[in-house]
Amino acid sequence: MSTGGTAERHLLVRNGNFRALMVSSTFGVLGNAVAAVALPVIAAVELDASNFEVAALAGMTFLPWLLCGLLIGVWVDRLPRKPVMLVSLSVRVLVLALLPLGYWFGFLSTPLLFVAAFVAGVAGVFFQLADAALVQQAVTADELMEGNGLITGSGAAADAAGRSAGGWLAGAVGASNTLIVQLTTSVIALVAVQRLDVKEIVRPRSDHRIVREMWDGFCYTFSTAPLRALLLNAALWNLGGNISASLLVLLVLRTLGESELWLGLLLAASSIGGAVGGVTANSLGERFGSGPLWRWSMVPGVLGYASLLVLSPGVGMLWGILGMFVMGASVSWNIVVGTSFRQRVCPPDMMGRLGAASRTVSWGMLALASLLAGVLAETVGIREAVLIGVLIACTAPLVALLGPLRGVKRLEDLAEAPAPAARAEATRNP
C-alpha cells in the first residue's frame, strides 16, 4: 500500500535530491536569462559596440565548450559533482559582479565584457556537465523523461521570466544594473546545491592520461548511429538557429528601431514555448513515441525562426512573438528526448565526457554561429544574415526525418544494449 502511494506522488514530492537539482537549475536559468538580455544591450547601448561585437558577444559563453569542453568533461568524471557545482556558481558570481561595479565606477569596457562572459561560460561548462551527471543519479531510468521534462519546462519558464524582466529592467534601470538579479539567483542556486544528498558514482582514480580519456569520451559520442544522429541534428540546428538568434538584438534595436521591452517579449515568448514543450514532452512521447516526437520537433522550429524575417515595427512584432513561442516548444521537445536517451544509455562514469564531447560539437556551433552572424551582419546585412541562418537550420529536421532513426518508434528501446565504446571502456577498466 505504501509503495503504491509513493509511486503516485509527484517526482518533485517524492525525490528531494531531484527537487534540489531542479531549484538550482531553475534559478540558474533565471539569472542567465537576465544576463543574456543585459550583456548585448550593455554592448549595444552603454558601450556603443559595433554590430560584429554585439553579435559575437553572444558566443562568448559558448566558446569554452569549443575550446575546453572535452578537458572539463574529464575532470567532471574524475571529481565529485556537488563541489564542482558549488565552485562554478561561486566563480560566476564573482566574475559577473565586476560588470555593475565597472559601470558604477567607470571602468566598464567592451574587452572586460568579453572576458567576463567567457570566464562565466567556463564556469557554466563545469556546472552544466556536473548537473547533468547528477540528474542521471538522482532519478531512475524510467523517470528520466519526466525529470528532464520538468527541468526543461521550469527552466524555460524561468528563462521567459528572466528575459522579459531583463528587457524591462534594461530600459528602466540600465542594463548593467540588471545583472544584480543574476547575482541573487546564483546565490539561491548555491543554497539549493548545498542541500543535495546524492551518493555519487565517481570513477576510480585512473592512470590514463587526460588526452586518452578525452578521446574515449569523443569516441563514445560517435559510437552508435542514434548518438551520431542526435549530435548532427543538434549541431546543424544550433549553427543555423543561433545565427538568427545572435542577430535578434540588432534586428530589434537597430533595424526596426524598437525598444528593449519588445526584445524581452520576443525572448520571453521562446522561453514560454520552451516551458510548454518541456512539460508536455513526456506525455507526447508516450502517446506518439519518442522517435516521431524527436524527428518532427524541428519542423515547426524552423518556421518559428522564419517569422523573424517578416517582423515590422508595432503590431508587426506579434508575428515574431508567435514564431518564437513555436520555436521554443520545438526545441524543448527535441532536447528532452535527446538528453533522456543519452542519460539512459550512458554509464555514470562516462557521463561527464559524453556531455562534454556532444556539447563541444553542438554548443561549439553556438559560438561559431555568433561569430559568423557578426561577419554576415557587417557584410550582407542583418535581415539577409537572419535568412541565411534560417536556411541552415532547415537541414536539422532533414537529418532527423531522412537519417538512420527515421523508422524508430521508441528511442529508449535502442538503449538496452551497451554501446561498443562502453564495452571497450569496461574491458580496459575491469
Side-chain angles (χ1 to χ4, degrees), residues 330-358:
S330 301
V331 170
S332 280
W333 294 328
N334 187 277
I335 289 174
V336 170
V337 175
T339 300
S340 299
F341 177 80
R342 291 188 185 98
Q343 290 171 336
R344 181 183 282 266
V345 73
C346 183
D349 60 358
M350 178 68 79
M351 196 64 209
R353 285 171 288 168
L354 171 65
S358 60

PDB file of all heavy atoms in Angstrom, residues 330-358:
ATOM      1  N   SER A 330       9.340  23.587 -29.789  1.00  0.00           N
ATOM      2  CA  SER A 330      10.004  22.584 -30.626  1.00  0.00           C
ATOM      3  C   SER A 330      11.361  22.195 -30.070  1.00  0.00           C
ATOM      4  O   SER A 330      11.718  21.012 -30.004  1.00  0.00           O
ATOM      5  CB  SER A 330      10.164  23.126 -32.051  1.00  0.00           C
ATOM      6  OG  SER A 330       8.921  23.442 -32.616  1.00  0.00           O
ATOM      7  N   VAL A 331      12.132  23.180 -29.673  1.00  0.00           N
ATOM      8  CA  VAL A 331      13.465  22.906 -29.146  1.00  0.00           C
ATOM      9  C   VAL A 331      13.375  22.095 -27.856  1.00  0.00           C
ATOM     10  O   VAL A 331      14.167  21.173 -27.624  1.00  0.00           O
ATOM     11  CB  VAL A 331      14.220  24.231 -28.916  1.00  0.00           C
ATOM     12  CG1 VAL A 331      15.515  23.982 -28.152  1.00  0.00           C
ATOM     13  CG2 VAL A 331      14.527  24.894 -30.253  1.00  0.00           C
ATOM     14  N   SER A 332      12.410  22.401 -27.000  1.00  0.00           N
ATOM     15  CA  SER A 332      12.267  21.649 -25.749  1.00  0.00           C
ATOM     16  C   SER A 332      11.943  20.183 -26.012  1.00  0.00           C
ATOM     17  O   SER A 332      12.498  19.290 -25.365  1.00  0.00           O
ATOM     18  CB  SER A 332      11.167  22.268 -24.878  1.00  0.00           C
ATOM     19  OG  SER A 332      11.653  23.395 -24.196  1.00  0.00           O
ATOM     20  N   TRP A 333      11.042  19.909 -26.938  1.00  0.00           N
ATOM     21  CA  TRP A 333      10.738  18.507 -27.267  1.00  0.00           C
ATOM     22  C   TRP A 333      12.000  17.784 -27.712  1.00  0.00           C
ATOM     23  O   TRP A 333      12.274  16.669 -27.282  1.00  0.00           O
ATOM     24  CB  TRP A 333       9.690  18.429 -28.376  1.00  0.00           C
ATOM     25  CG  TRP A 333       8.342  18.947 -27.978  1.00  0.00           C
ATOM     26  CD1 TRP A 333       7.772  18.899 -26.729  1.00  0.00           C
ATOM     27  CD2 TRP A 333       7.398  19.607 -28.816  1.00  0.00           C
ATOM     28  NE1 TRP A 333       6.533  19.476 -26.745  1.00  0.00           N
ATOM     29  CE2 TRP A 333       6.270  19.930 -28.008  1.00  0.00           C
ATOM     30  CE3 TRP A 333       7.371  19.966 -30.161  1.00  0.00           C
ATOM     31  CZ2 TRP A 333       5.144  20.575 -28.510  1.00  0.00           C
ATOM     32  CZ3 TRP A 333       6.249  20.613 -30.663  1.00  0.00           C
ATOM     33  CH2 TRP A 333       5.158  20.911 -29.843  1.00  0.00           C
ATOM     34  N   ASN A 334      12.768  18.436 -28.571  1.00  0.00           N
ATOM     35  CA  ASN A 334      13.993  17.831 -29.083  1.00  0.00           C
ATOM     36  C   ASN A 334      15.001  17.590 -27.968  1.00  0.00           C
ATOM     37  O   ASN A 334      15.616  16.516 -27.883  1.00  0.00           O
ATOM     38  CB  ASN A 334      14.580  18.749 -30.164  1.00  0.00           C
ATOM     39  CG  ASN A 334      15.764  18.131 -30.872  1.00  0.00           C
ATOM     40  OD1 ASN A 334      16.877  18.190 -30.384  1.00  0.00           O
ATOM     41  ND2 ASN A 334      15.516  17.545 -32.038  1.00  0.00           N
ATOM     42  N   ILE A 335      15.172  18.565 -27.087  1.00  0.00           N
ATOM     43  CA  ILE A 335      16.162  18.457 -26.013  1.00  0.00           C
ATOM     44  C   ILE A 335      15.785  17.368 -25.011  1.00  0.00           C
ATOM     45  O   ILE A 335      16.629  16.565 -24.595  1.00  0.00           O
ATOM     46  CB  ILE A 335      16.324  19.810 -25.296  1.00  0.00           C
ATOM     47  CG1 ILE A 335      17.050  20.799 -26.216  1.00  0.00           C
ATOM     48  CG2 ILE A 335      17.087  19.653 -23.984  1.00  0.00           C
ATOM     49  CD1 ILE A 335      17.130  22.206 -25.644  1.00  0.00           C
ATOM     50  N   VAL A 336      14.517  17.331 -24.604  1.00  0.00           N
ATOM     51  CA  VAL A 336      14.089  16.346 -23.601  1.00  0.00           C
ATOM     52  C   VAL A 336      14.311  14.927 -24.107  1.00  0.00           C
ATOM     53  O   VAL A 336      14.857  14.069 -23.395  1.00  0.00           O
ATOM     54  CB  VAL A 336      12.615  16.564 -23.217  1.00  0.00           C
ATOM     55  CG1 VAL A 336      12.097  15.400 -22.368  1.00  0.00           C
ATOM     56  CG2 VAL A 336      12.462  17.868 -22.449  1.00  0.00           C
ATOM     57  N   VAL A 337      13.921  14.652 -25.337  1.00  0.00           N
ATOM     58  CA  VAL A 337      14.096  13.305 -25.891  1.00  0.00           C
ATOM     59  C   VAL A 337      15.574  12.962 -26.024  1.00  0.00           C
ATOM     60  O   VAL A 337      16.024  11.882 -25.608  1.00  0.00           O
ATOM     61  CB  VAL A 337      13.390  13.178 -27.257  1.00  0.00           C
ATOM     62  CG1 VAL A 337      13.689  11.821 -27.880  1.00  0.00           C
ATOM     63  CG2 VAL A 337      11.889  13.357 -27.097  1.00  0.00           C
ATOM     64  N   GLY A 338      16.366  13.872 -26.588  1.00  0.00           N
ATOM     65  CA  GLY A 338      17.776  13.602 -26.801  1.00  0.00           C
ATOM     66  C   GLY A 338      18.542  13.438 -25.500  1.00  0.00           C
ATOM     67  O   GLY A 338      19.353  12.511 -25.341  1.00  0.00           O
ATOM     68  N   THR A 339      18.309  14.324 -24.544  1.00  0.00           N
ATOM     69  CA  THR A 339      19.005  14.258 -23.261  1.00  0.00           C
ATOM     70  C   THR A 339      18.646  12.987 -22.508  1.00  0.00           C
ATOM     71  O   THR A 339      19.519  12.319 -21.929  1.00  0.00           O
ATOM     72  CB  THR A 339      18.663  15.487 -22.407  1.00  0.00           C
ATOM     73  OG1 THR A 339      19.069  16.670 -23.096  1.00  0.00           O
ATOM     74  CG2 THR A 339      19.376  15.429 -21.058  1.00  0.00           C
ATOM     75  N   SER A 340      17.368  12.632 -22.495  1.00  0.00           N
ATOM     76  CA  SER A 340      16.930  11.433 -21.778  1.00  0.00           C
ATOM     77  C   SER A 340      17.556  10.181 -22.381  1.00  0.00           C
ATOM     78  O   SER A 340      17.949   9.256 -21.654  1.00  0.00           O
ATOM     79  CB  SER A 340      15.406  11.333 -21.811  1.00  0.00           C
ATOM     80  OG  SER A 340      14.818  12.455 -21.186  1.00  0.00           O
ATOM     81  N   PHE A 341      17.660  10.132 -23.708  1.00  0.00           N
ATOM     82  CA  PHE A 341      18.278   8.973 -24.338  1.00  0.00           C
ATOM     83  C   PHE A 341      19.746   8.863 -23.949  1.00  0.00           C
ATOM     84  O   PHE A 341      20.227   7.775 -23.607  1.00  0.00           O
ATOM     85  CB  PHE A 341      18.148   9.058 -25.858  1.00  0.00           C
ATOM     86  CG  PHE A 341      18.838   7.918 -26.564  1.00  0.00           C
ATOM     87  CD1 PHE A 341      18.232   6.675 -26.656  1.00  0.00           C
ATOM     88  CD2 PHE A 341      20.103   8.090 -27.105  1.00  0.00           C
ATOM     89  CE1 PHE A 341      18.875   5.619 -27.282  1.00  0.00           C
ATOM     90  CE2 PHE A 341      20.753   7.036 -27.733  1.00  0.00           C
ATOM     91  CZ  PHE A 341      20.137   5.800 -27.826  1.00  0.00           C
ATOM     92  N   ARG A 342      20.465   9.969 -23.991  1.00  0.00           N
ATOM     93  CA  ARG A 342      21.886   9.927 -23.619  1.00  0.00           C
ATOM     94  C   ARG A 342      22.063   9.492 -22.170  1.00  0.00           C
ATOM     95  O   ARG A 342      22.950   8.691 -21.854  1.00  0.00           O
ATOM     96  CB  ARG A 342      22.527  11.300 -23.836  1.00  0.00           C
ATOM     97  CG  ARG A 342      22.664  11.721 -25.294  1.00  0.00           C
ATOM     98  CD  ARG A 342      23.490  12.988 -25.410  1.00  0.00           C
ATOM     99  NE  ARG A 342      23.546  13.477 -26.780  1.00  0.00           N
ATOM    100  CZ  ARG A 342      22.764  14.452 -27.256  1.00  0.00           C
ATOM    101  NH1 ARG A 342      21.874  15.030 -26.462  1.00  0.00           N
ATOM    102  NH2 ARG A 342      22.881  14.843 -28.505  1.00  0.00           N
ATOM    103  N   GLN A 343      21.255  10.020 -21.272  1.00  0.00           N
ATOM    104  CA  GLN A 343      21.374   9.653 -19.870  1.00  0.00           C
ATOM    105  C   GLN A 343      21.007   8.190 -19.634  1.00  0.00           C
ATOM    106  O   GLN A 343      21.564   7.536 -18.754  1.00  0.00           O
ATOM    107  CB  GLN A 343      20.490  10.564 -19.019  1.00  0.00           C
ATOM    108  CG  GLN A 343      20.998  11.997 -18.940  1.00  0.00           C
ATOM    109  CD  GLN A 343      20.002  12.925 -18.280  1.00  0.00           C
ATOM    110  OE1 GLN A 343      18.808  12.665 -18.262  1.00  0.00           O
ATOM    111  NE2 GLN A 343      20.497  14.032 -17.734  1.00  0.00           N
ATOM    112  N   ARG A 344      20.070   7.671 -20.423  1.00  0.00           N
ATOM    113  CA  ARG A 344      19.662   6.273 -20.256  1.00  0.00           C
ATOM    114  C   ARG A 344      20.752   5.320 -20.727  1.00  0.00           C
ATOM    115  O   ARG A 344      20.993   4.264 -20.119  1.00  0.00           O
ATOM    116  CB  ARG A 344      18.366   6.029 -21.038  1.00  0.00           C
ATOM    117  CG  ARG A 344      17.828   4.614 -20.916  1.00  0.00           C
ATOM    118  CD  ARG A 344      16.579   4.451 -21.780  1.00  0.00           C
ATOM    119  NE  ARG A 344      15.410   5.028 -21.149  1.00  0.00           N
ATOM    120  CZ  ARG A 344      14.542   4.342 -20.397  1.00  0.00           C
ATOM    121  NH1 ARG A 344      14.733   3.057 -20.159  1.00  0.00           N
ATOM    122  NH2 ARG A 344      13.495   4.945 -19.891  1.00  0.00           N
ATOM    123  N   VAL A 345      21.414   5.649 -21.821  1.00  0.00           N
ATOM    124  CA  VAL A 345      22.357   4.711 -22.426  1.00  0.00           C
ATOM    125  C   VAL A 345      23.771   4.849 -21.866  1.00  0.00           C
ATOM    126  O   VAL A 345      24.568   3.914 -21.933  1.00  0.00           O
ATOM    127  CB  VAL A 345      22.387   4.909 -23.964  1.00  0.00           C
ATOM    128  CG1 VAL A 345      23.114   6.184 -24.350  1.00  0.00           C
ATOM    129  CG2 VAL A 345      23.011   3.713 -24.659  1.00  0.00           C
ATOM    130  N   CYS A 346      24.095   5.985 -21.275  1.00  0.00           N
ATOM    131  CA  CYS A 346      25.493   6.264 -20.911  1.00  0.00           C
ATOM    132  C   CYS A 346      25.813   5.746 -19.508  1.00  0.00           C
ATOM    133  O   CYS A 346      25.070   6.003 -18.560  1.00  0.00           O
ATOM    134  CB  CYS A 346      25.756   7.769 -20.979  1.00  0.00           C
ATOM    135  SG  CYS A 346      27.473   8.213 -20.628  1.00  0.00           S
ATOM    136  N   PRO A 347      26.958   5.048 -19.327  1.00  0.00           N
ATOM    137  CA  PRO A 347      27.401   4.670 -17.984  1.00  0.00           C
ATOM    138  C   PRO A 347      27.680   5.920 -17.148  1.00  0.00           C
ATOM    139  O   PRO A 347      28.160   6.928 -17.682  1.00  0.00           O
ATOM    140  CB  PRO A 347      28.704   3.889 -18.248  1.00  0.00           C
ATOM    141  CG  PRO A 347      28.650   3.504 -19.682  1.00  0.00           C
ATOM    142  CD  PRO A 347      27.870   4.567 -20.373  1.00  0.00           C
ATOM    143  N   PRO A 348      27.408   5.875 -15.825  1.00  0.00           N
ATOM    144  CA  PRO A 348      27.604   7.070 -14.993  1.00  0.00           C
ATOM    145  C   PRO A 348      29.021   7.630 -15.038  1.00  0.00           C
ATOM    146  O   PRO A 348      29.204   8.841 -15.004  1.00  0.00           O
ATOM    147  CB  PRO A 348      27.249   6.577 -13.584  1.00  0.00           C
ATOM    148  CG  PRO A 348      26.305   5.438 -13.816  1.00  0.00           C
ATOM    149  CD  PRO A 348      26.782   4.779 -15.073  1.00  0.00           C
ATOM    150  N   ASP A 349      30.037   6.755 -15.138  1.00  0.00           N
ATOM    151  CA  ASP A 349      31.409   7.254 -15.108  1.00  0.00           C
ATOM    152  C   ASP A 349      31.864   7.799 -16.455  1.00  0.00           C
ATOM    153  O   ASP A 349      33.006   8.253 -16.596  1.00  0.00           O
ATOM    154  CB  ASP A 349      32.381   6.168 -14.622  1.00  0.00           C
ATOM    155  CG  ASP A 349      32.382   4.937 -15.521  1.00  0.00           C
ATOM    156  OD1 ASP A 349      31.602   4.906 -16.500  1.00  0.00           O
ATOM    157  OD2 ASP A 349      33.157   4.010 -15.245  1.00  0.00           O
ATOM    158  N   MET A 350      30.971   7.771 -17.457  1.00  0.00           N
ATOM    159  CA  MET A 350      31.270   8.351 -18.768  1.00  0.00           C
ATOM    160  C   MET A 350      30.431   9.596 -19.020  1.00  0.00           C
ATOM    161  O   MET A 350      30.627  10.311 -20.000  1.00  0.00           O
ATOM    162  CB  MET A 350      31.007   7.301 -19.862  1.00  0.00           C
ATOM    163  CG  MET A 350      31.224   7.743 -21.296  1.00  0.00           C
ATOM    164  SD  MET A 350      32.942   8.080 -21.724  1.00  0.00           S
ATOM    165  CE  MET A 350      33.556   6.411 -21.959  1.00  0.00           C
ATOM    166  N   MET A 351      29.510   9.913 -18.095  1.00  0.00           N
ATOM    167  CA  MET A 351      28.511  10.939 -18.352  1.00  0.00           C
ATOM    168  C   MET A 351      29.133  12.310 -18.578  1.00  0.00           C
ATOM    169  O   MET A 351      28.701  13.070 -19.452  1.00  0.00           O
ATOM    170  CB  MET A 351      27.526  11.001 -17.178  1.00  0.00           C
ATOM    171  CG  MET A 351      26.250  11.742 -17.486  1.00  0.00           C
ATOM    172  SD  MET A 351      25.265  10.966 -18.763  1.00  0.00           S
ATOM    173  CE  MET A 351      24.436  12.399 -19.447  1.00  0.00           C
ATOM    174  N   GLY A 352      30.146  12.666 -17.792  1.00  0.00           N
ATOM    175  CA  GLY A 352      30.775  13.969 -17.972  1.00  0.00           C
ATOM    176  C   GLY A 352      31.424  14.101 -19.330  1.00  0.00           C
ATOM    177  O   GLY A 352      31.313  15.123 -20.005  1.00  0.00           O
ATOM    178  N   ARG A 353      32.109  13.045 -19.747  1.00  0.00           N
ATOM    179  CA  ARG A 353      32.803  13.096 -21.041  1.00  0.00           C
ATOM    180  C   ARG A 353      31.828  13.042 -22.215  1.00  0.00           C
ATOM    181  O   ARG A 353      32.050  13.696 -23.240  1.00  0.00           O
ATOM    182  CB  ARG A 353      33.821  11.944 -21.126  1.00  0.00           C
ATOM    183  CG  ARG A 353      35.067  12.190 -20.278  1.00  0.00           C
ATOM    184  CD  ARG A 353      35.955  10.978 -20.202  1.00  0.00           C
ATOM    185  NE  ARG A 353      35.339   9.941 -19.364  1.00  0.00           N
ATOM    186  CZ  ARG A 353      35.788   8.682 -19.306  1.00  0.00           C
ATOM    187  NH1 ARG A 353      36.806   8.311 -20.050  1.00  0.00           N
ATOM    188  NH2 ARG A 353      35.211   7.812 -18.504  1.00  0.00           N
ATOM    189  N   LEU A 354      30.739  12.254 -22.079  1.00  0.00           N
ATOM    190  CA  LEU A 354      29.730  12.251 -23.140  1.00  0.00           C
ATOM    191  C   LEU A 354      29.104  13.636 -23.282  1.00  0.00           C
ATOM    192  O   LEU A 354      28.963  14.170 -24.390  1.00  0.00           O
ATOM    193  CB  LEU A 354      28.642  11.224 -22.836  1.00  0.00           C
ATOM    194  CG  LEU A 354      27.409  11.279 -23.757  1.00  0.00           C
ATOM    195  CD1 LEU A 354      27.791  10.931 -25.187  1.00  0.00           C
ATOM    196  CD2 LEU A 354      26.311  10.353 -23.259  1.00  0.00           C
ATOM    197  N   GLY A 355      28.725  14.227 -22.140  1.00  0.00           N
ATOM    198  CA  GLY A 355      28.143  15.565 -22.199  1.00  0.00           C
ATOM    199  C   GLY A 355      29.096  16.580 -22.784  1.00  0.00           C
ATOM    200  O   GLY A 355      28.712  17.442 -23.571  1.00  0.00           O
ATOM    201  N   ALA A 356      30.379  16.473 -22.390  1.00  0.00           N
ATOM    202  CA  ALA A 356      31.378  17.420 -22.894  1.00  0.00           C
ATOM    203  C   ALA A 356      31.597  17.255 -24.392  1.00  0.00           C
ATOM    204  O   ALA A 356      31.639  18.235 -25.140  1.00  0.00           O
ATOM    205  CB  ALA A 356      32.699  17.222 -22.146  1.00  0.00           C
ATOM    206  N   ALA A 357      31.738  16.004 -24.844  1.00  0.00           N
ATOM    207  CA  ALA A 357      32.012  15.777 -26.264  1.00  0.00           C
ATOM    208  C   ALA A 357      30.834  16.193 -27.134  1.00  0.00           C
ATOM    209  O   ALA A 357      31.011  16.852 -28.170  1.00  0.00           O
ATOM    210  CB  ALA A 357      32.340  14.301 -26.491  1.00  0.00           C
ATOM    211  N   SER A 358      29.620  15.827 -26.706  1.00  0.00           N
ATOM    212  CA  SER A 358      28.455  16.180 -27.515  1.00  0.00           C
ATOM    213  C   SER A 358      28.229  17.687 -27.532  1.00  0.00           C
ATOM    214  O   SER A 358      27.914  18.267 -28.584  1.00  0.00           O
ATOM    215  CB  SER A 358      27.210  15.455 -26.996  1.00  0.00           C
ATOM    216  OG  SER A 358      26.937  15.804 -25.660  1.00  0.00           O
TER     217      SER A 358
END
